[in-house]
């Protein structure tokens, strides 16, 4: 009798262990899939949910006639500008062996040949984006006498990579682009202008002690505070899954697979150390990244700072909602800060 009971208990232990192993394996597969679904573009595009998420993201944008009209006008003017703009592709290799691609537009000669422009801007696109999305900004900066470098961030566009960097690996990669600019112009005065994830990457750069003093100003358009919070929000919004414990598990999986931790990707921590003058911009109807995130970044920043909240603008739409206000504020901010550093 005692022997039968012992056998039964042993069987229960074996079954329980097997069940736990199966559940743990399934959980690991789920977390691994979530990491790929959020950070590997080629994996995302094969998901049935990809088109739904894309459609929902577009539907969440503000669809007013003025935004549509200004957007259309900007794209048409950019298309015309690209027909005559002189550009070239440049590349850099990362320490972990990925080739990064950027498009460079040199400023037209302004004034005397003895006084060439030393103004440069590094334009950083958003999550799952590409450099071409930043060309309307490139056109404006070109008209203002800037040289422009517009890279495809890691694992996006023409640049190689295994995982989207959520600003963290990108901010290291962008230091390579800063080095490239300085190899072309040792007196360069560099502006970082990013949107969404690109803005977060720019802010993360300002917290890096290796950032050269040639970086004189940042334009942060609709940045998030940190990738950890964003990942948790999107897991719930896109897949209906709880942030805890999935996000912490995803951090571990990403560290093993991609070499970085989502918790490291914090623009909020970076601005607490930044000394680079920063203009924070956000639309008050942004359904992708809450305007509250930029307000938190602004409050936490210890650098010289200014804030522009554009009423009626959705995610990345501030320049189309109020183009004169948007670019006028940037011009004023840069003239003030670049002039100080000359």
């Amino acid at each position: 009798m005692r022997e039968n009971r012992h056998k039964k208990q042993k069987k229960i232990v074996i079954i329980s262990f097997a069940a736990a192993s199966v559940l743990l394996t399934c959980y690991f597969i789920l977390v691994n899939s979530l990491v790929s679904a959020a950070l590997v573009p080629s994996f995302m595009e094969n998901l049935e949910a990809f088109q739904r998420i894309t459609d929902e993201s577009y539907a969440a944008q503000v669809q007013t006639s003025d935004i549509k009209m200004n957007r259309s006008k900007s794209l048409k003017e950019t298309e015309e500008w690209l027909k005559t703009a002189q550009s070239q592709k440049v590349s850099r290799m990362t320490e972990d062996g990925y080739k990064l691609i950027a498009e460079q537009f040199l400023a037209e000669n302004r004034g005397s040949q003895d006084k060439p422009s030393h103004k440069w801007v590094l334009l950083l696109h958003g999550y799952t984006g590409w450099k071409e999305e930043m060309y309307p900004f490139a056109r404006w900066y070109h008209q203002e006498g800037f040289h422009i470098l517009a890279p495809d961030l890691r694992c996006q566009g023409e640049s190689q990579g295994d995982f989207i960097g959520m600003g963290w690996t990108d901010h290291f990669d962008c230091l390579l682009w800063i080095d490239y600019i300085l190899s072309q112009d040792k007196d360069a005065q560099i502006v970082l202008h990013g949107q969404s994830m690109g803005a977060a990457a720019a802010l993360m750069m300002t917290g890096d002690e290796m950032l050269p003093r040639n970086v004189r100003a940042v334009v942060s358009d609709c940045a998030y505070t940190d990738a950890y919070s964003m990942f948790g929000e999107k897991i719930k919004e896109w897949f209906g899954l709880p942030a805890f414990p999935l996000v912490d598990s995803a951090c571990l999986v990403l560290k093993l697979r991609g070499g970085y931790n989502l918790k490291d990707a914090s623009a909020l921590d970076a601005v607490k150390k930044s000394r680079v003058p920063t203009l924070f911009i956000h639309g008050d109807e942004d359904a992708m990244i809450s305007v509250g995130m930029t307000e938190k970044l602004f409050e936490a920043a210890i650098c010289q700072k200014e804030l522009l909240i554009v009423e009626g603008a959705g995610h990345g739409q501030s320049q189309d909602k109020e183009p004169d206000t948007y670019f006028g504020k940037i011009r004023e901010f840069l003239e003030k800060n670049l002039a100080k550093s000359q």
Side-chain angles (χ1 to χ4, degrees):
M1 188 117 177
R2 185 178 297 174
E3 185 178 343
N4 288 338
R5 189 183 303 125
H6 179 72
K7 287 181 179 179
K8 188 179 292 185
Q9 290 175 341
K10 186 176 181 181
K11 186 176 181 180
I12 291 172
V13 170
I14 293 172
I15 292 173
S16 298
F17 180 79
S21 298
V22 170
L23 288 173
L24 188 61
T25 300
C26 290
Y27 181 74
F28 177 79
I29 292 172
L30 172 62
V31 173
N32 199 51
S33 297
L34 282 173
V35 169
S36 295
L39 300 175
V40 182
S42 59
F43 187 92
M44 296 178 202
E45 293 166 4
N46 292 323
L47 292 176
E48 290 184 9
F50 179 75
Q51 191 58 51
R52 172 182 60 80
I53 293 169
T54 301
D55 292 342
E56 289 176 357
S57 297
Y58 177 77
Q61 288 287 65
V62 179
Q63 306 291 342
T64 54
S65 59
D66 57 342
I67 288 178
K68 291 180 179 179
M69 181 182 67
N70 289 331
R71 178 64 174 168
S72 178
K73 181 174 182 288
S74 175
L75 291 175
K76 184 176 181 180
E77 290 176 346
T78 300
E79 185 179 350
E80 289 301 311
W81 170 69
L82 286 169
K83 291 178 181 178
T84 57
Q86 299 296 313
S87 68
Q88 64 172 344
K89 273 190 174 58
V90 292
S91 64
R92 278 293 179 269
M93 292 295 297
T94 67
E95 288 187 1
D96 49 352
Y98 297 117
K99 186 176 183 180
L100 306 176
I101 301 294
E103 198 74 21
Q104 175 178 287
F105 300 89
L106 294 179
E108 297 175 357
N109 291 328
R110 306 252 173 190
S112 170
Q113 290 280 356
D114 296 330
K115 294 184 178 180
S117 174
H118 293 294
K119 297 188 297 184
W120 289 77
V121 62
L122 185 64
L123 294 175
L124 306 177
H125 65 76
Y127 172 75
T128 69
W130 48 88
K131 60 184 177 298
E132 287 79 6
E133 292 179 347
M134 302 304 289
Y135 285 0
F137 300 96
R139 177 180 61 84
W140 183 82
Y141 276 102
H142 195 254
Q143 292 172 345
E144 296 292 312
F146 280 77
H147 305 292
I148 300 117
L149 200 62
D152 279 321
L153 298 181
R154 174 181 293 233
C155 199
Q156 294 158 97
E158 296 181 84
S159 289
Q160 297 175 345
D162 290 331
F163 295 91
I164 292 174
M166 294 305 294
W168 183 247
T169 53
D170 305 302
H171 98 271
F172 293 113
D173 293 343
C174 286
L175 290 174
L176 297 176
W177 292 123
I178 297 296
D179 288 343
Y180 169 77
I181 290 173
L182 294 177
S183 74
Q184 305 299 301
D185 180 2
K186 63 181 179 61
D187 297 318
Q189 298 182 69
I190 303 169
V191 176
L192 309 178
H193 182 144
Q195 268 201 330
S196 193
M197 188 184 80
L203 295 177
M204 289 178 208
M205 291 174 72
T206 67
D208 194 316
E209 62 183 14
M210 300 300 293
L211 187 69
R213 293 183 178 274
N214 300 73
V215 176
R216 304 297 172 83
V218 173
V219 178
S220 169
D221 186 345
C222 59
Y224 49 74
T225 52
D226 63 291
Y228 182 84
S229 297
M230 283 299 300
F231 201 85
E233 285 185 11
K234 296 313 170 187
I235 280 180
K236 289 187 288 185
E237 180 183 331
W238 291 346
F239 305 109
L241 297 169
F244 180 82
L246 286 172
V247 180
D248 289 289
S249 300
C251 287
L252 176 60
V253 169
L254 183 59
K255 182 67 175 177
L256 293 171
R257 291 179 60 193
Y260 77 96
N261 191 328
L262 287 171
K263 292 181 179 180
D264 292 332
S266 175
L268 190 62
D269 288 343
V271 298
K272 294 175 182 178
K273 300 180 285 185
S274 173
R275 298 294 180 182
V276 183
T278 302
L279 171 60
F280 295 91
I281 302 174
H282 215 113
D284 72 347
E285 293 190 26
D286 192 332
M288 179 66 70
I289 298 174
S290 168
V291 64
M293 284 197 165
T294 278
E295 291 170 342
K296 286 181 181 178
L297 288 165
F298 178 76
E299 290 170 5
I302 64 169
C303 57
Q304 180 186 326
K305 57 191 178 181
E306 295 184 33
L307 177 66
L308 173 64
I309 304 298
V310 179
E311 294 184 5
H315 187 63
Q317 292 183 309
S318 294
Q319 74 283 357
D320 296 324
K321 179 63 180 178
E322 294 285 351
D324 291 340
T325 300
Y326 183 91
F327 289 110
K329 183 67 174 177
I330 293 174
R331 180 185 291 114
E332 174 191 317
F333 178 76
L334 296 183
E335 285 178 351
K336 182 166 50 181
N337 286 290
L338 295 186
K340 281 182 178 180
S341 60
Q342 287 177 345

